[in-house]
Amino acid sequence: MPRIPTYDDVAAAAARIAPAAHRTPVLTSRTADEEAGASLFFKCENFQRMGAFKFRGAYNALSCFDSGQRKAGVVAFSSGNHAQAVALSARLLGMPATIVMPHDAPAAKVAATRGYGGTVVVYDRYKEDREAIGRRLAEEGGLTLIPPFDHPDVIAGQGTAAKELIEEAGPLDALFVCLGGGGLLSGSALAARALAPGCKVYGVEPEAGNDGQQAFRAGHLVHIEVPKTIADGAQTQSLGKITFEIIRRDVDDVFTASDAELVEAMRFFATRMKMIVEPTGCLGFAAARRMKNELKGQRVGVLISGGNVDLARFAALVAG
Ligand SMILES: *Cc1c(COP(=O)(O)O)cnc(C)c1O
């Protein structure tokens, strides 16, 4: 079993990423508060560098490399925000980054990753095994693989967003966190348990892909098929070993939100708060809105995880 990070790792990560990461704003909305009958505090990681919280975990993990690892560089598999987070962090820290992406990854994401200085290695997702490609790259070039969620330094870095939120908003009664593989949720739970012991911590997954909810309730990891949902940042098939250990210990429950609820939340953020939030970033708010009866009079934190959605897709979703 790999090392389980603690709150001390989150605090250390906060110091490490401070020179590079944005301290993102905590916004409030009178309309949201009136609708919920509660006080909502939105931690806006859609305004983080490269547009999502993933920068926190990637930058922290790469900052922990020794000199040999820095020289050889990092390798990551991802077609989403983790790819851009690793590529940007590597550039800032002056090390090479290789990102393994499927041949059918969106051109904009490939271009963004290259734009941050990453070398993109394309593979055919129907014919090639990305694990084998990664192992080969790691063995031949001595590269260090950084996974998107199941890594102690990644989890500790992701926990810094909730740490900042609680420090700024004060004690919370509940915290809603978007859930894919569980890096953000497990890091947030470490921060909340240390800084706001009475705070309930909830993960929120897409309805079509509730592997985390199933795992949480069953007490063991559950694997599912790639879920069909507009929440492309949470199309994971299973929680990680480390993230699950923390989630089962420190999280209070896992809920789901439907694609229609995510679109409603995107509309709310756009019209009321003038923000572009990607579908996955709306998971926490979508569940909090539905639970307004339980949350009456409470102080509620909502983590908005990212804002990377291309404009044509955004327009089609909110207009539809
Ligand atoms: C990766 C990602 C998530 C899910 O994070 P996990 O750490 O995998 O649970 C949620 N929202 C956005 C925008 C993401 O990029």
Side-chain angles (χ1 to χ4, degrees):
M1 187 68 198
R3 183 171 65 83
I4 306 280
T6 66
Y7 176 69
D8 288 345
D9 297 303
V10 178
R16 250 179 237 120
I17 72 168
H22 292 317
R23 191 174 176 107
T24 52
V26 176
L27 299 183
T28 56
S29 155
R30 212 171 280 226
T31 313
D33 285 359
E34 277 166 16
E35 187 191 273
S39 300
L40 268 51
F41 299 90
F42 297 97
K43 178 64 171 171
C44 296
E45 287 295 296
N46 49 320
F47 297 135
Q48 186 50 267
R49 289 187 82 166
M50 53 63 56
F53 73 91
K54 291 252 180 12
F55 180 71
R56 295 172 181 270
Y59 192 87
N60 185 51
L62 270 56
S63 299
C64 295
F65 281 17
D66 65 26
S67 61
Q69 287 177 302
R70 279 178 194 245
K71 204 147 169 253
V74 60
V75 57
F77 309 104
S78 169
S79 52
N81 287 331
H82 180 62
Q84 290 164 61
V86 168
L88 173 59
S89 300
R91 192 186 71 191
L92 294 172
L93 292 163
M95 66 175 95
T98 302
I99 311 296
V100 183
M101 289 183 147
H103 67 288
D104 53 356
K109 297 231 159 139
V110 176
T113 305
R114 287 205 174 107
Y116 288 128
T119 302
V120 175
V121 172
V122 176
Y123 74 103
D124 182 337
R125 74 160 106 205
Y126 302 104
K127 295 194 187 132
E128 292 170 288
D129 172 13
R130 66 179 202 171
E131 302 284 327
I133 296 170
R135 266 198 308 276
R136 201 186 65 228
L137 289 167
E139 273 162 25
E140 286 172 3
L143 282 63
T144 303
L145 176 69
I146 293 297
F149 50 86
D150 211 24
H151 186 291
D153 301 331
V154 172
I155 293 168
Q158 317 306 33
T160 60
K163 176 179 183 290
E164 290 173 8
L165 168 60
I166 296 165
E167 284 169 353
E168 189 164 333
L172 298 173
D173 300 305
L175 175 62
F176 288 82
V177 182
C178 314
L179 172 58
L184 184 61
L185 178 60
S186 56
S188 301
L190 293 176
R193 284 291 155 263
L195 301 175
C199 178
K200 300 270 189 210
V201 180
Y202 301 123
V204 187
E205 280 180 312
E207 201 170 84
N210 73 335
D211 57 284
Q213 187 179 54
Q214 289 184 49
F216 184 80
R217 297 196 173 159
H220 55 79
L221 283 173
V222 172
H223 271 265
I224 58 166
E225 293 291 308
V226 176
K228 285 200 176 59
T229 166
I230 60 171
D232 51 353
Q235 282 178 308
T236 39
Q237 293 177 264
S238 151
L239 299 176
K241 286 198 179 76
I242 311 173
T243 58
F244 178 59
E245 283 308 312
I246 298 170
I247 288 169
R248 70 197 290 187
R249 184 190 69 198
D250 288 343
V251 167
D252 292 280
D253 209 345
V254 178
F255 304 120
T256 63
S258 68
D259 282 2
E261 289 173 319
L262 297 180
V263 169
E264 269 310 308
M266 286 172 81
R267 289 193 185 116
F268 182 92
F269 287 134
T271 55
R272 297 298 181 158
M273 298 179 73
K274 321 301 169 197
M275 296 198 292
I276 293 185
V277 180
E278 64 183 281
T280 316
C282 294
L283 284 162
F285 182 49
R289 281 180 117 177
R290 210 180 43 226
M291 287 178 56
K292 63 178 188 179
N293 291 336
E294 290 91 320
L295 300 173
K296 280 264 169 305
Q298 297 194 356
R299 298 166 50 79
V300 179
V302 174
L303 244 155
I304 296 176
S305 56
N308 291 331
V309 49
D310 75 52
L311 211 49
R313 182 159 178 261
F314 178 83
L317 285 169
V318 298

mmCIF file of all heavy atoms in Angstrom, residues 194-240:
data_model
loop_
_atom_site.group_PDB
_atom_site.id
_atom_site.type_symbol
_atom_site.label_atom_id
_atom_site.label_comp_id
_atom_site.label_asym_id
_atom_site.label_seq_id
_atom_site.Cartn_x
_atom_site.Cartn_y
_atom_site.Cartn_z
ATOM 1 N N ALA A 194 -9.046 18.651 9.333
ATOM 2 C CA ALA A 194 -8.094 19.365 10.194
ATOM 3 C C ALA A 194 -8.584 20.759 10.556
ATOM 4 O O ALA A 194 -8.373 21.222 11.678
ATOM 5 C CB ALA A 194 -6.735 19.457 9.492
ATOM 6 N N LEU A 195 -9.241 21.452 9.627
ATOM 7 C CA LEU A 195 -9.530 22.875 9.819
ATOM 8 C C LEU A 195 -10.972 23.152 10.212
ATOM 9 O O LEU A 195 -11.270 24.230 10.742
ATOM 10 C CB LEU A 195 -9.204 23.645 8.526
ATOM 11 C CG LEU A 195 -7.754 23.530 8.038
ATOM 12 C CD1 LEU A 195 -7.598 24.219 6.692
ATOM 13 C CD2 LEU A 195 -6.799 24.123 9.055
ATOM 14 N N ALA A 196 -11.874 22.238 9.913
ATOM 15 C CA ALA A 196 -13.293 22.445 10.225
ATOM 16 C C ALA A 196 -13.889 21.092 10.616
ATOM 17 O O ALA A 196 -14.639 20.484 9.862
ATOM 18 C CB ALA A 196 -14.028 23.021 9.007
ATOM 19 N N PRO A 197 -13.522 20.623 11.820
ATOM 20 C CA PRO A 197 -13.858 19.239 12.202
ATOM 21 C C PRO A 197 -15.351 18.908 12.115
ATOM 22 O O PRO A 197 -15.717 17.773 11.849
ATOM 23 C CB PRO A 197 -13.356 19.122 13.639
ATOM 24 C CG PRO A 197 -12.374 20.233 13.815
ATOM 25 C CD PRO A 197 -12.768 21.326 12.865
ATOM 26 N N GLY A 198 -16.224 19.890 12.304
ATOM 27 C CA GLY A 198 -17.656 19.590 12.260
ATOM 28 C C GLY A 198 -18.238 19.602 10.852
ATOM 29 O O GLY A 198 -19.427 19.331 10.669
ATOM 30 N N CYS A 199 -17.427 19.924 9.871
ATOM 31 C CA CYS A 199 -17.920 20.097 8.496
ATOM 32 C C CYS A 199 -18.185 18.746 7.829
ATOM 33 O O CYS A 199 -17.325 17.866 7.812
ATOM 34 C CB CYS A 199 -16.860 20.874 7.706
ATOM 35 S SG CYS A 199 -17.259 21.130 5.977
ATOM 36 N N LYS A 200 -19.395 18.586 7.286
ATOM 37 C CA LYS A 200 -19.692 17.380 6.499
ATOM 38 C C LYS A 200 -19.018 17.531 5.135
ATOM 39 O O LYS A 200 -19.104 18.608 4.524
ATOM 40 C CB LYS A 200 -21.191 17.245 6.268
ATOM 41 C CG LYS A 200 -21.990 17.145 7.554
ATOM 42 C CD LYS A 200 -22.123 15.703 7.952
ATOM 43 C CE LYS A 200 -23.097 15.557 9.106
ATOM 44 N NZ LYS A 200 -22.759 14.405 9.956
ATOM 45 N N VAL A 201 -18.386 16.484 4.654
ATOM 46 C CA VAL A 201 -17.721 16.542 3.352
ATOM 47 C C VAL A 201 -18.424 15.570 2.412
ATOM 48 O O VAL A 201 -18.558 14.381 2.722
ATOM 49 C CB VAL A 201 -16.226 16.180 3.479
ATOM 50 C CG1 VAL A 201 -15.546 16.233 2.113
ATOM 51 C CG2 VAL A 201 -15.528 17.134 4.455
ATOM 52 N N TYR A 202 -18.897 16.116 1.284
ATOM 53 C CA TYR A 202 -19.641 15.303 0.317
ATOM 54 C C TYR A 202 -18.948 15.296 -1.050
ATOM 55 O O TYR A 202 -18.529 16.349 -1.537
ATOM 56 C CB TYR A 202 -21.050 15.869 0.128
ATOM 57 C CG TYR A 202 -21.881 15.936 1.384
ATOM 58 C CD1 TYR A 202 -22.416 17.147 1.823
ATOM 59 C CD2 TYR A 202 -22.142 14.782 2.138
ATOM 60 C CE1 TYR A 202 -23.189 17.217 2.977
ATOM 61 C CE2 TYR A 202 -22.914 14.850 3.297
ATOM 62 C CZ TYR A 202 -23.438 16.058 3.711
ATOM 63 O OH TYR A 202 -24.203 16.127 4.852
ATOM 64 N N GLY A 203 -18.881 14.140 -1.674
ATOM 65 C CA GLY A 203 -18.419 14.037 -3.053
ATOM 66 C C GLY A 203 -19.629 13.988 -3.966
ATOM 67 O O GLY A 203 -20.678 13.471 -3.583
ATOM 68 N N VAL A 204 -19.486 14.532 -5.188
ATOM 69 C CA VAL A 204 -20.598 14.501 -6.138
ATOM 70 C C VAL A 204 -20.106 14.029 -7.500
ATOM 71 O O VAL A 204 -19.198 14.615 -8.090
ATOM 72 C CB VAL A 204 -21.258 15.890 -6.283
ATOM 73 C CG1 VAL A 204 -22.515 15.767 -7.133
ATOM 74 C CG2 VAL A 204 -21.587 16.499 -4.915
ATOM 75 N N GLU A 205 -20.724 12.949 -7.983
ATOM 76 C CA GLU A 205 -20.353 12.308 -9.245
ATOM 77 C C GLU A 205 -21.452 12.457 -10.277
ATOM 78 O O GLU A 205 -22.612 12.681 -9.921
ATOM 79 C CB GLU A 205 -20.258 10.796 -9.015
ATOM 80 C CG GLU A 205 -19.016 10.314 -8.400
ATOM 81 C CD GLU A 205 -19.083 8.809 -8.256
ATOM 82 O OE1 GLU A 205 -20.098 8.278 -7.767
ATOM 83 O OE2 GLU A 205 -18.113 8.174 -8.642
ATOM 84 N N PRO A 206 -21.106 12.254 -11.555
ATOM 85 C CA PRO A 206 -22.177 12.201 -12.554
ATOM 86 C C PRO A 206 -23.073 10.982 -12.306
ATOM 87 O O PRO A 206 -22.576 9.908 -11.945
ATOM 88 C CB PRO A 206 -21.443 12.060 -13.890
ATOM 89 C CG PRO A 206 -19.989 12.019 -13.603
ATOM 90 C CD PRO A 206 -19.764 12.082 -12.136
ATOM 91 N N GLU A 207 -24.369 11.179 -12.504
ATOM 92 C CA GLU A 207 -25.332 10.098 -12.290
ATOM 93 C C GLU A 207 -24.981 8.851 -13.107
ATOM 94 O O GLU A 207 -25.131 7.731 -12.633
ATOM 95 C CB GLU A 207 -26.714 10.617 -12.719
ATOM 96 C CG GLU A 207 -27.895 9.901 -12.168
ATOM 97 C CD GLU A 207 -29.155 10.706 -12.509
ATOM 98 O OE1 GLU A 207 -29.678 10.541 -13.630
ATOM 99 O OE2 GLU A 207 -29.575 11.504 -11.655
ATOM 100 N N ALA A 208 -24.496 9.080 -14.340
ATOM 101 C CA ALA A 208 -24.197 7.954 -15.233
ATOM 102 C C ALA A 208 -22.958 7.170 -14.801
ATOM 103 O O ALA A 208 -22.721 6.066 -15.295
ATOM 104 C CB ALA A 208 -24.004 8.468 -16.661
ATOM 105 N N GLY A 209 -22.158 7.732 -13.879
ATOM 106 C CA GLY A 209 -20.912 7.049 -13.504
ATOM 107 C C GLY A 209 -20.690 7.102 -12.013
ATOM 108 O O GLY A 209 -19.803 7.786 -11.528
ATOM 109 N N ASN A 210 -21.500 6.358 -11.257
ATOM 110 C CA ASN A 210 -21.455 6.473 -9.791
ATOM 111 C C ASN A 210 -20.596 5.389 -9.143
ATOM 112 O O ASN A 210 -20.938 4.870 -8.087
ATOM 113 C CB ASN A 210 -22.875 6.460 -9.207
ATOM 114 C CG ASN A 210 -23.498 5.088 -9.277
ATOM 115 O OD1 ASN A 210 -23.121 4.288 -10.132
ATOM 116 N ND2 ASN A 210 -24.422 4.796 -8.375
ATOM 117 N N ASP A 211 -19.446 5.086 -9.768
ATOM 118 C CA ASP A 211 -18.548 4.076 -9.193
ATOM 119 C C ASP A 211 -18.113 4.457 -7.780
ATOM 120 O O ASP A 211 -17.986 3.597 -6.910
ATOM 121 C CB ASP A 211 -17.322 3.880 -10.084
ATOM 122 C CG ASP A 211 -16.579 5.185 -10.305
ATOM 123 O OD1 ASP A 211 -17.070 6.002 -11.110
ATOM 124 O OD2 ASP A 211 -15.543 5.419 -9.668
ATOM 125 N N GLY A 212 -17.903 5.753 -7.553
ATOM 126 C CA GLY A 212 -17.449 6.206 -6.232
ATOM 127 C C GLY A 212 -18.526 6.018 -5.176
ATOM 128 O O GLY A 212 -18.248 5.585 -4.054
ATOM 129 N N GLN A 213 -19.764 6.314 -5.551
ATOM 130 C CA GLN A 213 -20.882 6.131 -4.624
ATOM 131 C C GLN A 213 -21.044 4.639 -4.294
ATOM 132 O O GLN A 213 -21.207 4.254 -3.129
ATOM 133 C CB GLN A 213 -22.167 6.667 -5.264
ATOM 134 C CG GLN A 213 -23.358 6.675 -4.345
ATOM 135 C CD GLN A 213 -24.591 7.233 -5.041
ATOM 136 O OE1 GLN A 213 -24.974 6.752 -6.115
ATOM 137 N NE2 GLN A 213 -25.190 8.253 -4.452
ATOM 138 N N GLN A 214 -20.944 3.815 -5.346
ATOM 139 C CA GLN A 214 -21.059 2.372 -5.113
ATOM 140 C C GLN A 214 -19.939 1.878 -4.202
ATOM 141 O O GLN A 214 -20.170 1.082 -3.285
ATOM 142 C CB GLN A 214 -20.985 1.616 -6.439
ATOM 143 C CG GLN A 214 -22.208 1.789 -7.327
ATOM 144 C CD GLN A 214 -22.079 0.923 -8.580
ATOM 145 O OE1 GLN A 214 -21.780 -0.268 -8.503
ATOM 146 N NE2 GLN A 214 -22.286 1.515 -9.747
ATOM 147 N N ALA A 215 -18.721 2.361 -4.465
ATOM 148 C CA ALA A 215 -17.564 1.926 -3.662
ATOM 149 C C ALA A 215 -17.726 2.385 -2.211
ATOM 150 O O ALA A 215 -17.481 1.612 -1.273
ATOM 151 C CB ALA A 215 -16.277 2.486 -4.249
ATOM 152 N N PHE A 216 -18.162 3.636 -2.047
ATOM 153 C CA PHE A 216 -18.325 4.200 -0.708
ATOM 154 C C PHE A 216 -19.323 3.372 0.092
ATOM 155 O O PHE A 216 -19.115 3.066 1.261
ATOM 156 C CB PHE A 216 -18.811 5.650 -0.834
ATOM 157 C CG PHE A 216 -18.920 6.372 0.471
ATOM 158 C CD1 PHE A 216 -17.791 6.900 1.081
ATOM 159 C CD2 PHE A 216 -20.151 6.527 1.098
ATOM 160 C CE1 PHE A 216 -17.891 7.574 2.296
ATOM 161 C CE2 PHE A 216 -20.251 7.196 2.313
ATOM 162 C CZ PHE A 216 -19.121 7.714 2.913
ATOM 163 N N ARG A 217 -20.414 2.983 -0.580
ATOM 164 C CA ARG A 217 -21.458 2.241 0.142
ATOM 165 C C ARG A 217 -21.101 0.779 0.342
ATOM 166 O O ARG A 217 -21.453 0.176 1.357
ATOM 167 C CB ARG A 217 -22.787 2.407 -0.598
ATOM 168 C CG ARG A 217 -23.125 3.906 -0.564
ATOM 169 C CD ARG A 217 -24.503 4.328 -0.881
ATOM 170 N NE ARG A 217 -24.586 5.782 -0.616
ATOM 171 C CZ ARG A 217 -25.462 6.603 -1.111
ATOM 172 N NH1 ARG A 217 -26.401 6.154 -1.919
ATOM 173 N NH2 ARG A 217 -25.438 7.884 -0.807
ATOM 174 N N ALA A 218 -20.352 0.208 -0.626
ATOM 175 C CA ALA A 218 -20.003 -1.217 -0.523
ATOM 176 C C ALA A 218 -18.785 -1.457 0.357
ATOM 177 O O ALA A 218 -18.572 -2.553 0.867
ATOM 178 C CB ALA A 218 -19.749 -1.791 -1.912
ATOM 179 N N GLY A 219 -17.930 -0.427 0.504
ATOM 180 C CA GLY A 219 -16.716 -0.613 1.304
ATOM 181 C C GLY A 219 -15.572 -1.255 0.538
ATOM 182 O O GLY A 219 -14.577 -1.667 1.125
ATOM 183 N N HIS A 220 -15.708 -1.360 -0.788
ATOM 184 C CA HIS A 220 -14.579 -1.831 -1.605
ATOM 185 C C HIS A 220 -14.645 -1.127 -2.961
ATOM 186 O O HIS A 220 -15.716 -0.644 -3.350
ATOM 187 C CB HIS A 220 -14.598 -3.353 -1.774
ATOM 188 C CG HIS A 220 -15.883 -3.885 -2.343
ATOM 189 N ND1 HIS A 220 -16.185 -3.822 -3.691
ATOM 190 C CD2 HIS A 220 -16.958 -4.466 -1.753
ATOM 191 C CE1 HIS A 220 -17.387 -4.354 -3.898
ATOM 192 N NE2 HIS A 220 -17.886 -4.745 -2.728
ATOM 193 N N LEU A 221 -13.517 -1.115 -3.686
ATOM 194 C CA LEU A 221 -13.481 -0.429 -4.979
ATOM 195 C C LEU A 221 -14.431 -1.076 -5.975
ATOM 196 O O LEU A 221 -14.591 -2.301 -5.983
ATOM 197 C CB LEU A 221 -12.055 -0.458 -5.550
ATOM 198 C CG LEU A 221 -11.076 0.537 -4.924
ATOM 199 C CD1 LEU A 221 -9.664 0.301 -5.454
ATOM 200 C CD2 LEU A 221 -11.509 1.974 -5.195
ATOM 201 N N VAL A 222 -15.081 -0.251 -6.783
ATOM 202 C CA VAL A 222 -16.004 -0.743 -7.806
ATOM 203 C C VAL A 222 -15.569 -0.169 -9.158
ATOM 204 O O VAL A 222 -15.301 1.024 -9.272
ATOM 205 C CB VAL A 222 -17.457 -0.298 -7.488
ATOM 206 C CG1 VAL A 222 -18.401 -0.632 -8.635
ATOM 207 C CG2 VAL A 222 -17.940 -0.946 -6.189
ATOM 208 N N HIS A 223 -15.452 -1.044 -10.175
ATOM 209 C CA HIS A 223 -15.092 -0.630 -11.533
ATOM 210 C C HIS A 223 -16.324 -0.579 -12.413
ATOM 211 O O HIS A 223 -17.138 -1.495 -12.375
ATOM 212 C CB HIS A 223 -14.133 -1.651 -12.161
ATOM 213 C CG HIS A 223 -12.708 -1.349 -11.887
ATOM 214 N ND1 HIS A 223 -11.921 -0.647 -12.760
ATOM 215 C CD2 HIS A 223 -11.934 -1.636 -10.812
ATOM 216 C CE1 HIS A 223 -10.719 -0.512 -12.236
ATOM 217 N NE2 HIS A 223 -10.698 -1.109 -11.057
ATOM 218 N N ILE A 224 -16.451 0.455 -13.240
ATOM 219 C CA ILE A 224 -17.587 0.539 -14.164
ATOM 220 C C ILE A 224 -17.066 0.790 -15.582
ATOM 221 O O ILE A 224 -15.893 1.101 -15.772
ATOM 222 C CB ILE A 224 -18.558 1.685 -13.759
ATOM 223 C CG1 ILE A 224 -17.816 3.035 -13.732
ATOM 224 C CG2 ILE A 224 -19.181 1.411 -12.399
ATOM 225 C CD1 ILE A 224 -18.726 4.241 -13.673
ATOM 226 N N GLU A 225 -17.948 0.671 -16.565
ATOM 227 C CA GLU A 225 -17.623 1.047 -17.947
ATOM 228 C C GLU A 225 -17.460 2.565 -18.004
ATOM 229 O O GLU A 225 -18.003 3.276 -17.156
ATOM 230 C CB GLU A 225 -18.782 0.652 -18.879
ATOM 231 C CG GLU A 225 -18.998 -0.840 -19.013
ATOM 232 C CD GLU A 225 -17.850 -1.499 -19.759
ATOM 233 O OE1 GLU A 225 -17.521 -1.027 -20.870
ATOM 234 O OE2 GLU A 225 -17.270 -2.449 -19.196
ATOM 235 N N VAL A 226 -16.769 3.070 -19.045
ATOM 236 C CA VAL A 226 -16.621 4.527 -19.187
ATOM 237 C C VAL A 226 -18.023 5.138 -19.282
ATOM 238 O O VAL A 226 -18.798 4.803 -20.176
ATOM 239 C CB VAL A 226 -15.813 4.890 -20.448
ATOM 240 C CG1 VAL A 226 -15.751 6.407 -20.623
ATOM 241 C CG2 VAL A 226 -14.410 4.306 -20.367
ATOM 242 N N PRO A 227 -18.388 6.004 -18.307
ATOM 243 C CA PRO A 227 -19.762 6.521 -18.297
ATOM 244 C C PRO A 227 -20.018 7.557 -19.388
ATOM 245 O O PRO A 227 -19.125 8.320 -19.755
ATOM 246 C CB PRO A 227 -19.870 7.170 -16.913
ATOM 247 C CG PRO A 227 -18.479 7.464 -16.481
ATOM 248 C CD PRO A 227 -17.581 6.487 -17.165
ATOM 249 N N LYS A 228 -21.242 7.559 -19.892
ATOM 250 C CA LYS A 228 -21.647 8.562 -20.886
ATOM 251 C C LYS A 228 -22.264 9.744 -20.162
ATOM 252 O O LYS A 228 -23.367 9.669 -19.640
ATOM 253 C CB LYS A 228 -22.691 7.961 -21.838
ATOM 254 C CG LYS A 228 -22.117 6.997 -22.841
ATOM 255 C CD LYS A 228 -23.073 6.831 -24.024
ATOM 256 C CE LYS A 228 -22.474 5.941 -25.103
ATOM 257 N NZ LYS A 228 -22.148 4.574 -24.578
ATOM 258 N N THR A 229 -21.524 10.840 -20.114
ATOM 259 C CA THR A 229 -21.981 12.040 -19.410
ATOM 260 C C THR A 229 -21.285 13.247 -20.007
ATOM 261 O O THR A 229 -20.200 13.114 -20.584
ATOM 262 C CB THR A 229 -21.655 11.946 -17.894
ATOM 263 O OG1 THR A 229 -21.800 13.251 -17.305
ATOM 264 C CG2 THR A 229 -20.236 11.490 -17.633
ATOM 265 N N ILE A 230 -21.896 14.423 -19.844
ATOM 266 C CA ILE A 230 -21.222 15.642 -20.303
ATOM 267 C C ILE A 230 -20.090 16.044 -19.357
ATOM 268 O O ILE A 230 -19.285 16.905 -19.692
ATOM 269 C CB ILE A 230 -22.216 16.824 -20.468
ATOM 270 C CG1 ILE A 230 -22.909 17.166 -19.140
ATOM 271 C CG2 ILE A 230 -23.250 16.500 -21.549
ATOM 272 C CD1 ILE A 230 -23.721 18.458 -19.187
ATOM 273 N N ALA A 231 -20.022 15.420 -18.175
ATOM 274 C CA ALA A 231 -18.965 15.744 -17.206
ATOM 275 C C ALA A 231 -17.694 14.981 -17.569
ATOM 276 O O ALA A 231 -17.333 13.988 -16.943
ATOM 277 C CB ALA A 231 -19.432 15.398 -15.795
ATOM 278 N N ASP A 232 -16.981 15.469 -18.595
ATOM 279 C CA ASP A 232 -15.855 14.692 -19.129
ATOM 280 C C ASP A 232 -14.666 14.608 -18.166
ATOM 281 O O ASP A 232 -13.822 13.738 -18.315
ATOM 282 C CB ASP A 232 -15.421 15.222 -20.503
ATOM 283 C CG ASP A 232 -15.185 16.723 -20.498
ATOM 284 O OD1 ASP A 232 -15.469 17.387 -19.481
ATOM 285 O OD2 ASP A 232 -14.705 17.252 -21.512
ATOM 286 N N GLY A 233 -14.623 15.479 -17.167
ATOM 287 C CA GLY A 233 -13.533 15.402 -16.184
ATOM 288 C C GLY A 233 -13.784 14.361 -15.107
ATOM 289 O O GLY A 233 -12.932 14.109 -14.260
ATOM 290 N N ALA A 234 -14.956 13.739 -15.140
ATOM 291 C CA ALA A 234 -15.289 12.747 -14.116
ATOM 292 C C ALA A 234 -15.727 11.422 -14.755
ATOM 293 O O ALA A 234 -16.537 10.693 -14.196
ATOM 294 C CB ALA A 234 -16.384 13.289 -13.192
ATOM 295 N N GLN A 235 -15.134 11.132 -15.938
ATOM 296 C CA GLN A 235 -15.482 9.867 -16.600
ATOM 297 C C GLN A 235 -14.558 8.742 -16.162
ATOM 298 O O GLN A 235 -14.233 7.855 -16.942
ATOM 299 C CB GLN A 235 -15.406 10.041 -18.119
ATOM 300 C CG GLN A 235 -16.623 10.759 -18.681
ATOM 301 C CD GLN A 235 -16.530 10.969 -20.171
ATOM 302 O OE1 GLN A 235 -15.547 11.498 -20.670
ATOM 303 N NE2 GLN A 235 -17.543 10.536 -20.896
ATOM 304 N N THR A 236 -14.130 8.794 -14.926
ATOM 305 C CA THR A 236 -13.233 7.767 -14.415
ATOM 306 C C THR A 236 -14.015 6.470 -14.176
ATOM 307 O O THR A 236 -15.219 6.503 -13.924
ATOM 308 C CB THR A 236 -12.602 8.241 -13.095
ATOM 309 O OG1 THR A 236 -13.607 8.933 -12.363
ATOM 310 C CG2 THR A 236 -11.450 9.175 -13.355
ATOM 311 N N GLN A 237 -13.297 5.357 -14.230
ATOM 312 C CA GLN A 237 -13.971 4.053 -14.084
ATOM 313 C C GLN A 237 -13.897 3.525 -12.661
ATOM 314 O O GLN A 237 -14.592 2.572 -12.322
ATOM 315 C CB GLN A 237 -13.352 3.062 -15.059
ATOM 316 C CG GLN A 237 -13.637 3.437 -16.499
ATOM 317 C CD GLN A 237 -12.952 2.495 -17.451
ATOM 318 O OE1 GLN A 237 -11.855 2.775 -17.947
ATOM 319 N NE2 GLN A 237 -13.563 1.357 -17.700
ATOM 320 N N SER A 238 -13.068 4.159 -11.843
ATOM 321 C CA SER A 238 -12.914 3.682 -10.474
ATOM 322 C C SER A 238 -12.140 4.724 -9.665
ATOM 323 O O SER A 238 -11.364 5.494 -10.227
ATOM 324 C CB SER A 238 -12.145 2.356 -10.516
ATOM 325 O OG SER A 238 -11.402 2.171 -9.353
ATOM 326 N N LEU A 239 -12.375 4.755 -8.361
ATOM 327 C CA LEU A 239 -11.525 5.562 -7.482
ATOM 328 C C LEU A 239 -10.143 4.921 -7.447
ATOM 329 O O LEU A 239 -9.948 3.796 -7.908
ATOM 330 C CB LEU A 239 -12.113 5.596 -6.059
ATOM 331 C CG LEU A 239 -13.508 6.203 -5.906
ATOM 332 C CD1 LEU A 239 -13.975 6.068 -4.453
ATOM 333 C CD2 LEU A 239 -13.525 7.673 -6.336
ATOM 334 N N GLY A 240 -9.170 5.619 -6.872
ATOM 335 C CA GLY A 240 -7.840 5.038 -6.702
ATOM 336 C C GLY A 240 -7.727 4.325 -5.371
ATOM 337 O O GLY A 240 -8.600 4.460 -4.509
#
